[in-house]
Amino acid sequence: MQSVDARKPVSQTVPVSDCHLLHKTDTKDRAKTTGDFAMEPRFAELETHLKYIRRDMDEVRGDVKSIKHRLAYAAGATAVVLGLLGWVANSRFDQLVTLVG
């Protein structure tokens, strides 16, 4: 049976003075023939998340537009119904007074 220390991965440390050399060679290795750099997986993941956010926002915009149309239709219908009730009440006002009084 192996000890706990034997199973731990060994990490390589680079002196601080050599970090800039490591970075330069790393970016040269990742360079494509066209001069572009390969996109890191984190950026690809962020791009994917932004696409989903944009899609969801477009869906929300459509829902808000639909709600606005429904509210406008309901407000228009309410105004028509109230107008008709007012017209009927005004034209039959004398009959309403005799019924109440």
Side-chain angles (χ1 to χ4, degrees), residues 10-56:
V10 178
S11 63
Q12 296 177 344
T13 58
V14 178
V16 176
S17 60
D18 294 339
C19 284
H20 69 284
L21 296 174
L22 179 64
H23 179 68
K24 286 181 182 178
T25 57
D26 185 34
T27 55
K28 287 180 184 176
D29 291 340
R30 290 188 293 151
K32 294 181 181 178
T33 57
T34 60
D36 293 334
F37 292 103
M39 187 177 293
E40 293 184 23
R42 293 180 297 170
F43 294 132
E45 187 177 347
L46 284 174
E47 186 179 38
T48 303
H49 286 300
L50 286 175
K51 284 180 185 177
Y52 287 132
I53 290 170
R54 184 176 296 269
R55 185 195 67 196
D56 292 343

Side-chain angles (χ1 to χ4, degrees), residues 85-99:
L85 286 174
W87 177 69
V88 168
N90 189 26
S91 66
R92 304 290 182 180
F93 184 72
D94 55 340
Q95 290 178 354
L96 288 174
V97 171
T98 55
L99 285 174

